[in-house]
Amino acid sequence: MDSTPAAYLRRIRLERAHQELQMSDPRSETVSRIATRWGFLSHSRFTAHYRSVFGVPPSRTLHG
């Protein structure tokens, strides 16, 4: 797979968080809550990983 198990799981969690950010209403949901639900306890690390994979900050995905 050309990836470590931890990196693979992080990618899956990022993809699920991405999907949830796309489907959520920014009036009732926050990036922090979504990140925490997917196991990212550090908002700054989540944002850095998210941006490196998707090219935009998670707030932009949530707010469209």
Side-chain angles (χ1 to χ4, degrees):
M1 270 205 173
D2 204 30
S3 178
T4 66
Y8 174 75
L9 289 174
R10 181 174 49 243
R11 176 62 189 230
I12 296 300
R13 291 177 14 241
L14 279 169
E15 288 175 4
R16 297 303 193 285
H18 177 71
Q19 291 170 349
E20 191 170 343
L21 285 163
Q22 289 178 313
M23 297 184 317
S24 294
D25 182 348
R27 294 172 294 179
S28 61
E29 193 58 86
T30 67
V31 171
S32 292
R33 281 196 294 218
I34 291 170
T36 300
R37 272 198 293 275
W38 289 102
F40 295 96
L41 304 180
S42 167
H43 182 76
S44 61
R45 292 186 109 188
F46 171 71
T47 299
H49 287 302
Y50 188 93
R51 185 183 290 244
S52 73
V53 171
F54 298 105
V56 296
S59 59
R60 183 170 300 164
T61 302
L62 178 60
H63 296 283

